[in-house]
Structures are given as C-alpha cells and as structure tokens.
Amino acid sequence: MRELPMTAAVPPVPGSVAEKAIPARVPTWNTPEFPAERPREEEMLAGRHQLIVVYLIEALVAILRKWNRPFEVVTERGLYFQLEGRWRHCDPDVMVLPFELEGDGAVRRGDMPTAPLCVFEVSSPETVNKDLVQKKKWYAGMGIAEYWMVDPVSEPTKTVRMGAILDGGPLQGWQLGPDGRYLPLSVTWREEEGAWVGYSPVLRHELTLSQELHDQHRDGGLRLREPETKVPVRSHEEMLEDHETLWSDHEELRSDHEELRSDHEVLATSYRDAIADREALIFNLVAATFDQDTAQRMRVFLERAGATLPDTGLIMAWLAEAEGPQFLTEVRRHCGLPDEE
C-alpha cells in the first residue's frame, strides 16, 4: 500500500463554509467583458473525461441536497478573478458553490460572499500542466478550500494503478492551509480494493478511483462514497439500472401473483367440485339404502340447520346399523334439531 507524501499535517478547514448559512444569490454576467461562454483553450470534453464530469455533477448534487443549504454545482462556467490588477479567466470542469446563482452566465470571484467549496479538474495531456501549476495557484489565491485532480486514464489494465498523466497516482487532492497555500490531502492506493482512496473534509465523503469500475468501460471509475458505510453515491446509469431491475422484479412478482391467484382459483374450483361430488354420492347412497324421501328429508334437515354433511365414516355407520327413521333421528341430532313428536 503506497501513500502520497505529506508535506505537513493538514488541519480541518477552519470555519468550513459548509457550516455557514449563505443567504445571498450571486448574479452572473453575460457582457462583452465577461461573456457567458468562451471558447475552450483545451480540447473538447470526450470519453471518460465527460463521463467523470457527468458523474461528479450528479453525485455532488445528491450529497449537497442533504445539507439543506443553498448550493450550486456548475460545469464549464466561466470564472473571472483579478490578479495583479488584471481580469483573468478559467473554466473549472466542476465547481461547487455554497450559494445559488442568478442566471446561467459567467461568475466573478469578487461578487461571491465566500469562496467556492471545491473545484475538480479532469486532466488530459493537453491540460495537465496548467491544471497542476497555474490553476492550482489561482484556486488557492481565490481561497477555494479544496482542489481535486483526476486522471481519466485511457488504459485501465495498465494505468489505474499508476496513472497515465499524473505523477504519483491518478487521483490527487489539496486542502487550503492557514497560510493560504494548498497542502496535499492523503490519497492511498488500496490493493484490496483495487482503487485509489482519498477523503474530502469539505464534502465529508471519500473519493475512490476504482480499477474494477474502470474495467467496465462505463466511466472513468470515479466514485464518491460514505466513509462509514463505504456505500458509493450511485451514478445516473446505475440508478436507471436499479429502476429497471426493480420494475422487472415488480413485473415478475405481479406475474407470480397472477399465477398463484389462477392456481388458487383452480384449486378452489376443484375443491367445490369434490364437495359437490361427495354430497351427490352420499345422497344417492342414502336413497339407494332407504328411499328417495329419506334422502330428501336429510337434505332439508341440513339446509335448515345450515350444517355440513357429517363425516363419511359416521354416515356409513348410521347406514349399517339403523333403519330409515332412526337414520333421520341421527341426522337431526347432528344438525342440532329437536326430535320430531
């Protein structure tokens, strides 16, 4: 198990903005000076890069909704800030804000009541140096509490373990220290999980970059998960699969229910037929032993009392030992009817 070197002990984020109520809604801009959209200098998002970004947005929204505080999760949103008297611009892959925005234009750091919570960059060979040096410096200067970089790694069997473009591993994170500089967060390769694992103090979730998930060619293998339960936040695709599975299970259960109900009806019909056959047999036997009138009077006694036919063995004993009048007396007693005078 290998762990990235730590340059200093990383304290908790002082007065984490996650604990503060930020009532303001921050305006966005769409002007010639601060356009809502700017052409990206980097290559267009594609493949695993895009899949990681989509998962991060969905997972972060699911996490932050539980805080019951205002938030925004934005992607490719122009972020403007002043450096050395000049306006500078960057467009983080994913940015988490502890307040809501008005509109869908660009945002300025100076308009914000507090800094963004964290930023994620999914690097590529064309952007890795800028992400690792220039943007890292910019984000620290803006007071962003956490910065994470993810290497989407294109060859899962070879590079999840080491990383394709990031030295030291494909998942790296930093936390803003008291001096305003980023200190590295501990990120560890766990052989038993086949994954890189780090912890975000701001989001209070673990980040994992998994060999197993990456091998499935569904995404870049990144997951956010509860540190205590180790349960990952589900991706949209996984939730759709869960929904489809539940629907399939529901349909199967409904089919089983219909089949059981059909079987029950068949059994009930068979039972009623068997009862009717037994009754017919008993009355025919009484009529054959005595006469039709005795059989009819027996039917009247049973219907008057609302009683069921006696046990077949008992009836056979009455037939063997009694004459017609005595047989009817036994039937009346079985039905709880008084003897005839």
Side-chain angles (χ1 to χ4, degrees):
M1 186 166 64
R2 181 156 62 94
E3 187 170 330
L4 296 180
M6 300 289 289
T7 58
V10 181
V13 179
S16 171
V17 290
E19 302 296 341
K20 297 179 181 178
I22 308 294
R25 289 176 61 88
V26 174
T28 60
W29 295 76
N30 186 9
T31 65
E33 186 179 5
F34 307 110
E37 297 181 2
R38 286 176 56 118
R40 285 179 55 85
E41 297 176 1
E42 300 84 5
E43 62 181 5
M44 293 297 291
L45 299 180
R48 297 187 184 281
H49 188 140
Q50 180 65 22
L51 291 170
I52 290 175
V53 169
V54 170
Y55 170 76
L56 273 173
I57 293 171
E58 295 169 351
L60 289 167
V61 169
I63 290 171
L64 296 171
R65 278 176 177 164
K66 298 178 182 179
W67 288 7
N68 294 320
R69 293 182 173 87
F71 73 89
E72 292 277 356
V73 178
V74 297
T75 180
E76 301 302 309
R77 183 74 69 106
L79 172 59
Y80 288 87
F81 59 97
Q82 285 190 310
L83 181 65
E84 298 174 351
R86 294 176 50 197
W87 283 104
R88 301 294 180 94
H89 166 269
C90 61
D91 45 2
D93 284 332
V94 179
M95 181 167 56
V96 180
L97 307 172
F99 46 79
E100 296 178 349
L101 297 176
E102 293 181 356
D104 55 2
V107 292
R108 303 193 312 187
R109 174 64 184 94
D111 295 331
M112 300 179 183
T114 186
L117 284 178
C118 61
V119 164
F120 291 84
E121 295 285 0
V122 183
S123 295
S124 67
E126 293 76 16
T127 66
V128 62
N129 290 331
K130 184 176 180 180
D131 293 342
L132 197 57
V133 179
Q134 188 179 58
K135 286 189 175 181
K136 184 179 174 183
K137 180 180 178 181
W138 286 350
Y139 295 151
M142 282 186 271
I144 297 174
E146 279 185 15
Y147 176 34
W148 289 91
M149 287 182 63
V150 183
D151 177 353
V153 292
S154 58
E155 297 293 335
T157 57
K158 299 178 181 178
T159 55
V160 166
R161 177 65 177 85
M162 298 304 300
I165 57 178
L166 287 175
D167 294 336
L171 177 65
Q172 297 184 33
W174 296 269
Q175 184 182 58
L176 198 64
D179 61 354
R181 297 181 180 181
Y182 277 137
L183 300 173
L185 290 163
S186 176
V187 181
T188 304
W189 170 259
R190 295 184 184 174
E191 192 72 43
E192 66 278 11
E193 295 186 42
W196 289 90
V197 182
Y199 178 73
S200 166
V202 167
L203 299 174
R204 306 165 188 166
H205 274 63
E206 289 180 339
L207 284 80
T208 68
L209 191 62
S210 167
Q211 173 72 63
E212 179 182 354
L213 287 170
H214 192 79
D215 277 338
Q216 295 177 9
H217 298 282
R218 289 152 42 118
D219 51 37
L222 184 70
R223 286 291 181 271
L224 300 177
R225 70 181 185 186
E226 291 279 357
E228 294 82 12
T229 64
K230 307 301 181 185
V231 174
V233 180
R234 308 288 281 173
S235 68
H236 180 67
E237 181 179 353
E238 288 169 326
M239 287 188 287
L240 283 178
E241 289 179 356
D242 290 345
H243 175 74
E244 291 172 359
T245 299
L246 288 172
W247 179 255
S248 176
D249 290 345
H250 169 75
E251 289 297 306
E252 185 175 347
L253 287 171
R254 189 177 70 170
S255 176
D256 290 344
H257 174 73
E258 292 295 328
E259 186 175 344
L260 287 172
R261 187 171 67 176
S262 176
D263 291 345
H264 172 75
E265 291 175 355
V266 169
L267 289 173
T269 301
S270 298
Y271 178 75
R272 288 192 297 268
D273 291 344
I275 293 297
D277 290 345
R278 175 176 176 267
E279 289 179 353
L281 178 63
I282 293 297
F283 288 120
N284 289 337
L285 184 59
V286 172
T289 304
F290 302 117
D291 51 47
Q292 191 67 40
D293 182 64
T294 301
Q296 182 60 31
R297 292 185 66 187
M298 175 184 176
R299 187 188 299 275
V300 170
F301 292 162
L302 292 170
E303 291 177 354
R304 185 186 302 170
T308 59
L309 275 171
D311 181 76
T312 303
L314 183 59
I315 290 178
M316 296 303 293
W318 294 344
L319 290 173
E321 299 177 0
E323 297 294 331
Q326 187 179 358
F327 174 82
L328 290 174
T329 299
E330 296 294 343
V331 173
R332 293 176 68 87
R333 289 174 181 173
H334 170 77
C335 294
L337 298 174
D339 292 338
E340 291 181 332
E341 295 182 359

